[in-house]
């Protein structure tokens, strides 16, 4: 009998007795072992058969919906919300039809995947190269300061993941296909205007057709990582692929000193050993890496073919390094541990996640500890060092995320951010200060604490946080007003309204400290952009608002408080129509940043989005507030109140 044919009551018989037993009599820990074998429609059908299966612990089982969503759509795991069954179920339903990709920031090399034939508001970076045979029209690469949907993506089906590289943006579809726009090495390519295109494999693999080549487990991508100038991918069968150029076929990675095992999808044996199988790949700033079961973190230099080589399909890595003490795995079944293994499990633990920074590897383990190791010659890591101030004293697992020079550690609903200078201080003071006492450099941004942050992504000078309610908040600096913060343009005063101060000469946009108490959300609604433009132009009474606008432009404190008031109005706006599933018109699943640009994978409810576009705000005027120091802003209109109360601004972020 098939599992999805199983009735709510079944008959068990033996020679000794006949007994009719209900499936609802089975304990929950047995049922949850059965559920993953059911497709979503069968699981929902089973839940509808009786009241017992309608209880939230079963119908909204987080283990089931997390597995179903990740296995069906190749969505990366999100450890912070892995026990939120409601979120995973809603995500599953909307992913079927509503995944969209938005990008913003520096559009050099056409890395944003849009605005090919129109001028995005902002200043140009450089002239585009005009190809022979094309109309001789002068085009400019420009900045984009407000999220805009990528072109050429809706025909790809469900988008499962997106990541920004140094000069590129790459998408993973539910079919396991990878598509990239921009270039992988902007240091050697002056400009590019190519549109989104699939990443390919060497000749001889299943098919040269991009429509079918990913159907083979050896080339269907399960997980990928975009580095500064290269991309790594892990296939369904466990192969590692590496790209160094968008138009060049991938190279399969093998090692001379390591044996990797592929997953035999047709193997019906009960052999459960994972030793030698690749779990994860991570592309760093200038390094490639993979976590291999039983070995640990393996690091090597990015690979390329020789200039005159077009046929090589496999790169045999002669020189690689292994990060010490990262290969420990908790024993399963009755396997006993040696004394050395038990000690390693207590002192270090089993690795949960890791990142590759410019000069360090940082990883977290299942005993709540965070470690780092410094790269030496040929990627060697001589030893690892626990970052004691980041230890989770409860012993529960933490998470780490980051890239280039900055990172964030998640523990107990807190998010602690830091950079390589902190790692340098801890590393260089191991002898004199082994307890790492009073080493500065750890920050707790108020808006990220106890605020359901799922992930933090870092660009060169800016960073973005994704919250469990599907909102994205933005922090840091955008160089040359490139728009990487996604909060609006310098020229239309949108950026000023959101709390950005622009340098007069460099035009670098820095987010005011006032914005770090509750954060500044990235908006996807064009109606909000129109609303903020209306407000910054004086609203419905330009003359009455004239003095307040002048005060706003000359005082950073006034700018910060008005910006916070506008933020509260926007959040109130969001609460008015969230839809049947409470996810709203735009619900972000993934956020990514690199270099000077950013992007997000967003579920879009078109019906709600269309309603948002009809919102009217013509009767609103520039706000008149009583400031925190008691100053009353000039004007004749009544004072505006605070939707969420006047915030107690926090400017000290040192942990």
């Amino acid at each position: 009998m098939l599992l999805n044919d199983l009735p709510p009551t079944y008959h068990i018989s033996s020679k000794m007795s006949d007994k009719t037993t209900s499936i609802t009599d089975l304990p929950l820990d047995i049922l949850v072992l059965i559920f993953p074998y059911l497709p979503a429609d069968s699981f929902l059908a089973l839940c509808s058969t009786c009241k017992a299966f309608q209880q939230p612990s079963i119908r909204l089982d987080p283990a089931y919906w997390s597995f179903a969503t990740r296995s069906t759509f190749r969505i990366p795991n999100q450890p912070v919300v892995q026990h939120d069954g409601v979120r995973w179920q809603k995500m599953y339903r909307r992913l079927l039809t509503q995944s969209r990709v938005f990008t913003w920031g520096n559009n050099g090399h056409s890395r944003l995947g849009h605005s090919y034939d129109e001028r995005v508001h902002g200043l140009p970076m450089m002239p585009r190269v005009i190809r022979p045979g094309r109309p001789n029209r002068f085009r400019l690469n420009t900045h984009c300061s407000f999220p805009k949907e990528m072109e050429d993506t809706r025909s790809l089906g469900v988008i499962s993941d997106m990541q920004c590289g140094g000069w590129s943006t790459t998408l993973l579809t539910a079919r396991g296909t990878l598509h990239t726009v921009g270039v992988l090495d902007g240091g050697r390519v002056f400009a590019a205007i190519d549109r989104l295109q699939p990443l390919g494999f060497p000749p001889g693999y299943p098919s040269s057709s991009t429509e079918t080549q990913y159907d083979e487990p050896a080339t269907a991508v399960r997980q990928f990582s975009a580095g500064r100038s290269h991309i790594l991918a892990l296939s369904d069968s466990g192969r590692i692929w590496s790209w160094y150029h968008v138009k060049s076929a991938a190279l399969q990675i093998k090692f001379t000193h390591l044996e990797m095992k592929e997953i035999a999808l047709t193997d019906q044996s009960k052999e459960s050993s994972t030793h030698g199988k690749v779990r994860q790949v991570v592309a760093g700033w200038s390094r490639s890496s993979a976590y291999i079961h039983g070995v640990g973190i393996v690091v090597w230099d990015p690979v390329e073919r020789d200039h005159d080589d077009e046929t090589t399909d496999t790169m045999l890595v002669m020189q690689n390094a292994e990060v010490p003490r990262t290969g420990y795995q908790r024993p399963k079944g009755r396997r006993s541990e040696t004394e050395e293994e038990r000690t390693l499990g207590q002192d270090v633990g089993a690795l949960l996640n890791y990142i590759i920074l410019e000069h360090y590897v940082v990883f977290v383990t299942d005993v709540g500890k965070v470690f780092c190791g410094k790269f030496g010659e040929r990627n060697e890591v001589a030893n690892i060092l626990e970052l004691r101030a980041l230890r989770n004293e409860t012993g529960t697992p933490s998470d780490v995320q980051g890239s280039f020079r900055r990172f964030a550690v998640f523990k107990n609903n807190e998010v602690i951010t830091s950079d390589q200078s902190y790692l340098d201080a801890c590393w260089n003071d191991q002898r004199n200060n082994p307890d790492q006492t009073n080493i500065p450099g750890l920050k707790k941004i108020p808006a990220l604490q106890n605020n359901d942050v799922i992930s933090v992504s870092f660009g060169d000078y800016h960073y973005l946080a994704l919250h469990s309610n599907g909102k994205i908040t933005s922090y840091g600096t955008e160089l040359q007003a490139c728009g990487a913060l996604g909060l609006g343009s310098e020229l239309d005063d949108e950026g000023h309204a959101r709390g950005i101060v622009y340098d007069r000469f460099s035009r670098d946009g820095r987010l005011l400290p006032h914005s770090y108490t509750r954060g500044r959300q990235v908006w996807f609604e064009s109606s909000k952009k129109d609303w903020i433009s209306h407000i910054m132009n004086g609203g419905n009474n330009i003359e009455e608002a004239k003095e307040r606008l002048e005060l706003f432009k000359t005082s950073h404190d006034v700018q910060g408080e008005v910006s916070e008031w506008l933020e509260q109005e926007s959040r109130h706006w969001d609460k008015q129509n969230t839809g049947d599933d409470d996810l709203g018109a735009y619900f972000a699943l993934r956020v990514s940043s690199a270099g000077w640009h950013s992007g997000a994978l967003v579920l879009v409810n078109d019906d709600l989005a269309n309603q948002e576009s009809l919102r009217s705000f013509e009767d609103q005027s520039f706000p008149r507030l009583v400031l925190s120091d008691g100053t009353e802003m000039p004007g004749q209109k009544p004072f505006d109140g605070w939707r969420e109360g006047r915030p107690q601004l926090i400017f000290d972020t040192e942990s």
Side-chain angles (χ1 to χ4, degrees):
M1 178 183 293
L2 296 176
L3 281 170
N4 53 351
D5 294 330
L6 193 66
T9 302
Y10 59 95
H11 192 71
I12 299 177
S13 64
S14 68
K15 293 182 179 180
M16 299 297 296
S17 64
D18 288 340
K19 181 181 180 182
T20 300
T21 303
S22 171
I23 191 175
T24 57
D25 293 334
L26 292 175
L28 184 59
D29 55 350
I30 298 298
L31 290 172
V32 296
L33 297 177
I34 299 174
F35 293 158
Y37 290 93
L38 301 176
D41 54 350
S42 297
F43 177 72
L44 292 173
L46 176 65
C47 291
S48 66
T49 58
C50 61
K51 290 183 178 180
F53 285 163
Q54 281 293 307
Q55 57 183 310
S57 61
I58 294 180
R59 180 173 53 85
L60 299 175
D61 175 36
Y64 174 81
W65 286 111
S66 171
F67 174 81
T69 304
R70 290 187 289 115
S71 60
T72 303
F73 301 112
R74 300 174 187 268
I75 293 292
N77 190 27
Q78 298 174 328
V80 179
V81 290
Q82 63 184 357
H83 301 300
D84 189 345
V86 175
R87 176 188 171 88
W88 284 108
Q89 188 202 50
K90 291 178 179 179
M91 191 185 305
Y92 183 95
R93 292 176 181 272
R94 288 184 60 167
L95 270 167
L96 292 170
T97 58
Q98 298 179 0
S99 62
R100 311 277 172 79
V101 184
F102 292 79
T103 53
W104 58 93
N106 184 341
N107 200 18
H109 300 91
S110 301
R111 72 191 73 177
L112 300 184
H114 57 64
S115 309
Y116 298 101
D117 298 316
E118 64 181 74
R119 180 75 179 271
V120 180
H121 207 69
L123 295 183
M125 283 293 292
M126 62 181 69
R128 285 185 176 175
V129 175
I130 304 299
R131 291 184 172 181
R134 291 194 174 185
N136 188 19
R137 294 180 294 173
F138 186 69
R139 294 294 185 197
L140 293 169
N141 276 333
T142 59
H143 300 324
C144 177
S145 59
F146 194 84
K148 185 173 182 179
E149 185 178 353
M150 286 183 65
E151 299 177 23
D152 309 318
T153 59
R154 297 206 185 185
S155 61
L156 300 179
V158 177
I159 308 296
S160 303
D161 192 13
M162 67 84 58
Q163 294 182 33
C164 298
W167 302 272
S168 64
T169 303
T170 301
L171 311 179
L172 172 66
T173 71
R175 291 183 56 242
T177 64
L178 284 176
H179 305 259
T180 297
V181 68
V183 299
L184 295 188
D185 192 353
R188 292 185 289 187
V189 180
F190 178 74
I193 55 174
D194 293 314
R195 303 181 78 92
L196 186 71
Q197 54 192 302
L199 295 180
F201 292 91
Y205 276 85
S207 170
S208 59
S209 168
T210 57
E211 293 298 319
T212 59
Q213 66 181 0
Y214 284 88
D215 292 336
E216 166 66 34
T219 52
V221 175
R222 182 203 324 166
Q223 177 255 331
F224 83 101
S225 178
R228 176 176 180 262
S229 57
H230 71 295
I231 293 172
L232 290 177
L234 179 62
S235 76
D236 283 347
S237 68
R239 291 190 185 185
I240 299 175
W241 296 97
S242 179
W243 287 266
Y244 61 92
H245 194 287
V246 174
K247 296 183 179 180
S248 296
L251 283 165
Q252 183 185 352
I253 301 298
K254 292 186 176 181
F255 303 95
T256 56
H257 305 298
L258 286 175
E259 181 180 357
M260 294 188 299
K261 293 181 181 178
E262 291 195 44
I263 301 172
L265 301 181
T266 58
D267 186 6
Q268 300 299 318
S269 68
K270 296 183 179 180
E271 176 61 45
S272 60
S273 174
T274 60
H275 188 91
K277 295 178 181 178
V278 183
R279 185 179 81 184
Q280 176 185 7
V281 292
V282 176
W285 175 257
S286 58
R287 293 177 173 87
S288 296
S289 73
Y291 181 84
I292 302 177
H293 287 287
V295 178
I297 301 173
V298 179
V299 186
W300 68 96
D301 290 328
V303 298
E304 293 187 16
R305 294 181 181 85
D306 293 333
H307 292 295
D308 57 349
D309 181 6
E310 298 292 337
T311 60
T312 299
D313 60 3
T314 301
M315 185 63 67
L316 194 61
V317 177
M318 308 289 289
Q319 183 71 48
N320 63 270
E322 299 172 17
V323 179
R325 310 185 79 187
T326 57
Y328 174 79
Q329 295 177 285
R330 296 290 174 192
K332 294 182 179 180
R334 298 180 179 180
R335 185 179 74 84
S336 60
E337 290 187 301
T338 65
E339 184 62 31
E340 182 181 0
E341 288 176 327
R342 278 194 295 271
T343 301
L344 183 59
Q346 294 171 359
D347 294 345
V348 178
L351 184 144
L352 297 178
N353 193 23
Y354 76 97
I355 57 174
I356 300 292
L357 301 180
E358 184 182 22
H359 299 306
Y360 287 88
V361 56
V362 183
F363 63 93
V364 295
T365 67
D366 63 351
V367 293
K369 294 182 179 181
V370 184
F371 296 86
C372 74
K374 188 171 185 178
F375 292 115
E377 293 292 328
R378 299 180 178 180
N379 301 312
E380 294 286 346
V381 176
N383 63 295
I384 60 173
L385 173 69
E386 184 189 355
L387 302 173
R388 300 196 176 190
L390 296 174
R391 180 187 296 181
N392 193 336
E393 298 297 344
T394 65
T396 55
S398 301
D399 191 20
V400 63
Q401 299 169 14
S403 60
F404 189 27
R405 294 173 179 166
R406 294 185 291 174
F407 64 96
V409 171
F410 296 67
K411 65 173 185 176
N412 304 330
N413 212 14
E414 292 182 334
V415 180
I416 302 171
T417 58
S418 192
D419 56 31
Q420 284 192 149
S421 62
Y422 175 77
L423 301 181
D424 284 334
C426 294
W427 192 267
N428 296 332
D429 212 15
Q430 292 183 60
R431 288 188 177 181
N432 298 328
N433 187 6
D435 293 329
Q436 302 167 11
T437 305
N438 297 325
I439 295 180
L442 298 180
K443 296 183 181 296
K444 287 187 178 180
I445 305 301
L448 303 183
Q449 311 311 312
N450 301 296
N451 203 9
D452 298 321
V453 177
I454 295 175
S455 65
V456 178
S457 65
F458 295 90
D460 284 359
Y461 301 96
H462 71 289
Y463 55 104
L464 304 172
L466 174 63
H467 301 256
S468 64
N469 62 358
K471 303 300 181 183
I472 297 171
T473 51
S474 189
Y475 310 87
T477 299
E478 53 182 34
L479 267 61
Q480 299 178 20
C482 66
L485 293 172
L487 300 179
S489 167
E490 171 195 17
L491 300 183
D492 285 340
D493 279 337
E494 299 162 358
H496 294 92
R498 305 303 307 282
I500 301 176
V501 175
Y502 297 92
D503 184 85
R504 181 178 177 183
F505 299 102
S506 68
R507 297 180 51 249
D508 293 347
R510 173 180 57 86
L511 201 60
L512 283 169
H514 307 67
S515 307
Y516 288 74
T517 299
R518 294 192 179 179
R520 294 292 177 265
Q521 288 184 5
V522 176
W523 297 339
F524 297 93
E525 303 91 337
S526 59
S527 53
K528 286 187 177 180
K529 184 176 185 294
D530 296 336
W531 167 64
I532 209 74
S533 178
H534 171 76
I535 294 295
M536 293 307 297
N537 283 318
N540 64 351
N541 192 333
I542 299 175
E543 191 62 32
E544 191 273 338
K546 187 175 181 179
E547 287 186 71
R548 295 196 299 280
L549 279 166
E550 185 62 28
L551 186 62
F552 172 89
K553 294 177 180 179
T554 56
S555 169
H556 289 170
D557 285 332
V558 174
Q559 180 187 359
E561 292 197 41
V562 170
S563 172
E564 176 60 33
W565 184 88
L566 293 170
E567 196 72 17
Q568 291 192 18
E569 289 295 303
S570 169
R571 289 196 290 264
H572 176 72
W573 188 333
D574 293 337
K575 296 175 183 177
Q576 295 180 18
N577 190 1
T578 59
D580 295 336
D581 56 10
D582 292 326
L583 297 186
Y586 298 86
F587 187 91
L589 292 178
R590 170 81 163 165
V591 65
S592 182
S593 305
W596 294 16
H597 73 296
S598 309
L601 175 61
V602 183
L603 298 180
V604 181
N605 184 322
D606 288 322
D607 291 338
L608 288 182
N610 290 334
Q611 293 176 29
E612 291 287 345
S613 65
L614 301 176
R615 189 181 293 268
S616 176
F617 44 76
E618 284 76 11
D619 60 338
Q620 297 186 26
S621 61
F622 189 88
R624 185 183 180 210
L625 306 175
V626 177
L627 302 175
S628 58
D629 62 0
T631 301
E632 297 181 351
M633 295 182 72
Q636 289 78 47
K637 64 167 287 188
F639 290 107
D640 291 287
W642 294 83
R643 296 281 186 183
E644 303 168 7
R646 183 190 305 280
Q648 298 297 316
L649 299 177
I650 304 172
F651 299 110
D652 182 14
T653 61
E654 287 294 325
S655 174

